[in-house]
Structures are given as structure tokens and as C-alpha cells.
Amino acid sequence: MKLNLVIVDDSVLWLSIAEKLAKVHPNVASVTTFDDSLDAWIFLQTNQSTALMTDIEMPCMDGLSFLSMFSAKLPVISTSTKKNYTEHATKLGCVDFLSKPFSKKEFDLALTNVYERVSLQKIS
């Protein structure tokens, strides 16, 4: 089973980079992107996504809020330009934390970690 990934980032540049990298990852079936956190929240409430990647610093609803709401339901990758969020995001349940700017190798590893977690949950 491949991932149905939702990416949320208010930066059009980082959203575009993550989308392009995700679309060529062998474990990703579909990518849905949002630059507005409220639109993403609505989508996640009404669709069957299998993974979430969210920026921490966003207006209205930040990535820590997404972690609080969704980390028990699906694996989350957190991203930020500030490394000081790593510990807090991890405590809230993120599977991986990517510091911006991140490399393709770091991105691929994070998605592989998420894919492995989803695969293990399906087996259990």
C-alpha cells in the first residue's frame, strides 16, 4: 500500500519543493497540497489520507496544532526553519522532523520512515 500524502505549508516555495519530491518517491501514491491550514484541516477530516507533512509556523492553525489533532490517527512529518521545534514536535508525536532547507535524501528518508510505520500498522 502506497501513501496518500497531504502536505501543508504556507510557503509556496517549500510546498512546491515538497510536492515535487513526493510525487517521484516510490512509496507515494498521491499528493494533496494546501497552503491554507484551515482548508487542510477540513480535507483531513473528510478524506482517507495515510500521511501528513506540515510546516510548524503557519498563520491561523500551526503545525503543532496539526500534530495534536492528527498524530494519533496518521504519521506526521514536521518541518520548520527553526530547529528548536524538534523536541516539542517529537513529544507531540511526529515521526520525523525536517529542518528547512532539507535535502532530497533527508526528505526521502522521512517518507520511507512514514511508509514503514504505515506498513507495520497494516500488519498488526
Side-chain angles (χ1 to χ4, degrees):
M1 178 184 134
K2 292 188 175 187
L3 299 174
N4 295 316
L5 178 65
V6 174
I7 304 172
V8 187
D9 199 318
D10 61 320
S11 165
V12 175
L13 172 66
W14 283 107
L15 189 64
S16 174
I17 290 169
E19 179 181 25
K20 286 177 183 172
L21 291 173
K23 283 185 173 181
V24 297
H25 194 281
N27 296 328
V28 175
S30 68
V31 180
T32 306
T33 61
F34 294 93
D35 62 1
D36 182 281
S37 58
L38 288 178
D39 289 342
W41 180 80
I42 292 167
F43 181 86
L44 287 164
Q45 298 294 323
T46 59
N47 289 276
Q48 294 292 326
S49 302
T50 54
L52 170 64
M53 179 177 182
T54 180
D55 184 28
I56 296 287
E57 302 162 276
M58 296 185 292
C60 197
M61 189 180 306
D62 64 19
L64 297 175
S65 298
F66 275 92
L67 273 166
S68 296
M69 290 183 282
F70 296 108
S71 66
K73 299 176 186 173
L74 66 157
V76 180
I77 300 169
S78 296
T79 66
S80 180
T81 56
K82 297 179 182 170
K83 291 182 182 182
N84 61 330
Y85 285 114
T86 306
E87 185 177 337
H88 191 62
T90 302
K91 285 180 182 177
L92 288 174
C94 80
V95 172
D96 214 326
F97 186 91
L98 294 174
S99 293
K100 295 176 185 175
F102 50 78
S103 67
K104 180 183 184 312
K105 183 177 179 180
E106 292 168 322
F107 183 87
D108 286 347
L109 181 59
L111 278 181
T112 298
N113 290 340
V114 165
Y115 176 77
E116 288 173 358
R117 180 164 294 189
V118 169
S119 297
L120 287 174
Q121 288 173 348
K122 296 296 178 190
I123 293 171
S124 303

